[in-house]
Amino acid sequence: CGIYGVYSPTEDVSEMTYLGLFALQHRGQESAGIALTDGDWIDVKKGMGLVSEVFREQLPRLDNAKIAIGHVRYATTGFSLAANAQPLRVNYAGGALALAHNGDLTNAALIRRDLESKGTVFQTTIDTEVFVHLIARSQKPSVEERILEAVSVVRGAFCLSIMTEDKLIGVRDPQGFRPLCIGRTPDGGWVLSSETCALDVNGAEFVRDVLPGEMVVMDSDGLKSYRFSNGKDVASCIFEYIYFARPDSIIDGQSVHAARFEMGRVLARESGFRGDVVISVPDSGTTAATGFSYEAGIPFAEGLIKNRYIGRTFIQPTQKQRDAAVKLKLSPVRSVVAGKSVIMVDDSIVRGTTSGKIVRLLRNAGAREIHVCISSPPITDPCYYGIDTSVRKELISATKSVDEICSFIGADSLHFISIDGLRQCVSALNPDHMCYACFNNKYPVPEEDAELDEDDK
Ligand code: 5GP
Ligand code: SF4
Ligand code: MG
């Protein structure tokens, strides 16, 4: 998911949030929503679909609104339903608030069961709703203390953009799994954004990342920071750099583009693959493919053209939808691949659907040899922190070896980047403070909900 927030004394916060969400659309395409306040009342508009679809007719409007938050959703917990769209809004004894969440919690089902046994009625099936109830039930006097109490109970991945009638609040979990940054607008206002790529669009200047285990509160008095962890448990998601984030974003000081380019260079060295041309599976494989080309001295060319009017194929919820989408999405350029030994670079093989189909497309277009390079290690384990690779039986690398996958997708050879190779690609970060769990089964935070019966989840 993607989250956004704006506090601006003079600008149109609804419009700014809309533009920010537009720039974060790659983080989720199932639903979108904006909440805003004029200081008295919080209004929310949300719906299924792309940002441009949900707000086609009009943006939510309130006179003199100074704060807004927004969300784009990619379903990892809870079904793809309108009721599960965010931001969530509540009224409670201390006032009103709206909240948007990116990440998955590892103990939400346990907390939910506990709250339900005490009489709390849940309106959605998303784990985000536990925050709302924990904040509302807290006996603490201030909203800041209520939120800090809630985050002390909840575990797993959470970046939050929260709005009260007079404050914009950002929270990032102690591991810092997902990104969250702060920007400053020219009128002295503030922006919260999942990624830096959504700051420019509002003329906001990057200030800094929200730190893992930090809550920032922005209001007419400026910005206040509260720390709720000692910073020792940082485990930010390597997959943001491999695939999820936009290449023009900088997360925790590491350029996503630079990381992906390095992944391509490492792939060229590790695989030793040589051929006539390097192509990518656009768009997510392109930066790594250019790195491969640079390192190996083999020209890069556009061997596959992507239909620009289709969203990310993986994110379509059912296998049937995904199957149809791949065919519509990509087509080969005969003059680039016919008769050639082709090196094809992509970011990941999850279920194996995409790669198998593309290899077939390239063969039909006359490619002589197809060598596939993947800029993530084999995904062998589910993610519990907000990337939808969580159905283990569907992960091809969980059950097949590299050789078996190579023949399954019909390639001449196949190489996945190593974890060691990957660690070299994020030189601006401490590679020990990253999560690689979906590749090595070393989970920084245990999945506690797994202990519940399936029906309870
Ligand atoms: P597969 O067809 O093997 O299941 O999916 C791999 C393709 O899905 C890659 O080209 C990758 O770019 C794309 N993809 C889209 N969304 C995601 C995601 O959230 N996670 C992963 N691992 N791959 C994704
Ligand atoms: Fe990222 Fe994988 Fe860790 Fe999930 S398990 S947070 S996708 S590195
Ligand atoms: Mg892709």
Side-chain angles (χ1 to χ4, degrees):
C1 304
I3 60 175
Y4 206 74
V6 178
Y7 179 101
S8 168
T10 60
E11 301 291 330
D12 181 340
V13 290
S14 189
E15 168 110 6
M16 287 172 79
T17 304
Y18 171 76
L19 294 174
L21 292 181
F22 218 103
L24 295 174
Q25 184 79 77
H26 61 285
R27 297 186 68 88
Q29 291 120 46
E30 279 172 35
S31 66
I34 294 176
L36 81 167
T37 183
D38 56 6
D40 280 328
W41 168 249
I42 293 180
D43 197 15
V44 187
K45 181 169 162 58
K46 51 190 177 178
M48 301 300 289
L50 299 174
V51 176
S52 58
E53 293 163 346
V54 174
F55 301 105
R56 172 167 293 148
E57 310 282 312
Q58 76 181 93
L59 290 173
R61 290 283 170 214
L62 285 177
D63 288 341
N64 300 316
K66 291 193 171 48
I67 311 177
I69 62 170
H71 187 263
V72 285
R73 174 150 192 264
Y74 146 63
T76 49
T77 75
F79 298 103
S80 182
L81 294 173
N84 290 341
Q86 298 188 40
L88 299 180
R89 172 184 48 183
V90 271
N91 293 300
Y92 66 102
L97 62 80
L99 181 150
H101 170 208
N102 172 210
D104 277 0
L105 306 178
T106 51
N107 64 345
L110 287 169
I111 296 172
R112 176 186 283 249
R113 194 165 66 170
D114 179 51
L115 290 174
E116 280 173 344
S117 74
K118 293 174 184 155
T120 303
V121 177
F122 280 78
Q123 316 230 320
T124 75
T125 62
I126 47 176
D127 55 3
T128 307
E129 198 181 345
V130 302
F131 282 110
V132 167
H133 293 298
L134 288 171
I135 295 168
R137 292 175 59 103
S138 168
Q139 299 300 310
K140 302 278 188 200
S142 71
V143 70
E144 289 89 341
E145 290 165 288
R146 284 169 179 259
I147 295 169
L148 288 171
E149 187 175 89
V151 302
S152 72
V153 176
V154 158
R155 285 182 285 276
F158 51 91
C159 278
L160 304 175
S161 180
I162 304 175
M163 182 184 75
T164 68
E165 289 108 326
D166 55 4
K167 294 176 169 65
L168 173 66
I169 301 172
V171 183
R172 193 174 179 200
D173 64 68
Q175 283 69 33
F177 283 110
R178 305 277 144 241
L180 187 64
C181 71
I182 306 166
R184 197 90 225 250
T185 59
D187 67 343
W190 301 94
V191 172
L192 269 176
S193 177
S194 287
E195 292 184 38
T196 58
C197 69
L199 296 179
D200 272 1
V201 62
N202 282 316
E205 218 169 283
F206 174 74
V207 175
R208 64 178 178 87
D209 294 279
V210 176
L211 299 173
E214 185 186 25
M215 172 171 80
V216 289
V217 180
M218 289 150 278
D219 60 16
S220 52
D221 296 335
L223 182 145
K224 283 195 211 71
S225 161
Y226 302 75
R227 297 300 302 274
F228 55 92
S229 78
N230 58 15
K232 290 207 180 101
D233 301 326
V234 177
S236 48
C237 171
I238 188 71
F239 211 74
E240 291 277 347
Y241 298 93
I242 295 170
Y243 168 80
F244 207 60
R246 228 169 73 169
D248 53 330
S249 285
I250 297 172
I251 305 173
D252 296 328
Q254 171 68 55
S255 149
V256 175
H257 181 276
R260 277 183 204 170
F261 191 82
E262 278 307 306
M263 290 170 202
R265 297 185 66 186
V266 168
L267 277 172
R269 295 198 292 270
E270 281 187 354
S271 69
F273 290 173
R274 294 300 175 259
D276 304 317
V277 64
V278 179
I279 69 167
S280 79
V281 181
D283 292 315
S284 53
T286 301
T287 313
T290 57
F292 190 115
S293 159
Y294 177 88
E295 181 72 16
I298 302 169
F300 170 83
E302 288 174 287
L304 290 163
I305 298 299
K306 177 174 154 186
N307 184 322
R308 295 197 187 284
Y309 306 97
I310 303 197
R312 288 187 160 189
T313 47
F314 183 91
I315 288 178
Q316 309 294 327
T318 71
Q319 189 63 38
K320 207 167 166 201
Q321 284 167 302
R322 274 191 295 269
D323 282 350
V326 174
K327 286 181 209 151
L328 267 179
K329 185 169 172 176
L330 291 168
S331 54
V333 181
R334 212 159 231 292
S335 60
V336 170
V337 301
K340 305 269 177 57
S341 170
V342 175
I343 296 167
M344 178 188 113
V345 181
D346 199 3
D347 61 276
S348 55
I349 293 183
V350 184
R351 299 170 174 85
T353 336
T354 314
S355 310
K357 288 190 174 137
I358 296 167
V359 168
R360 231 170 300 140
L361 288 178
L362 294 172
R363 291 243 189 255
N364 290 340
R368 183 163 49 81
E369 289 171 14
I370 301 163
H371 306 283
V372 176
C373 269
I374 303 293
S375 61
S376 61
I379 302 174
T380 50
D381 294 276
C383 175
Y384 300 122
Y385 316 122
I387 299 283
D388 183 19
T389 51
S390 45
V391 190
R392 192 187 149 100
K393 63 178 191 307
E394 293 180 2
L395 296 174
I396 191 168
S397 295
T399 52
K400 286 184 165 49
S401 68
V402 174
D403 283 347
E404 285 167 343
I405 298 168
C406 184
S407 37
F408 178 84
I409 66 174
D412 293 284
S413 39
L414 171 64
H415 179 81
F416 290 90
I417 200 170
S418 67
I419 293 183
D420 274 344
L422 200 53
R423 290 163 60 95
Q424 299 162 29
C425 301
V426 284
S427 54
L429 301 169
N430 178 344
D432 294 333
H433 282 181
M434 311 282 304
C435 176
Y436 308 88
C438 50
F439 312 122
N440 68 4
N441 194 256
K442 291 186 184 147
Y443 290 96
V445 177
E447 165 64 4
E448 297 167 63
D449 288 343
E451 291 154 22
L452 284 181
D453 293 346
E454 273 302 313
D455 326 341
D456 271 352
K457 280 205 247 175

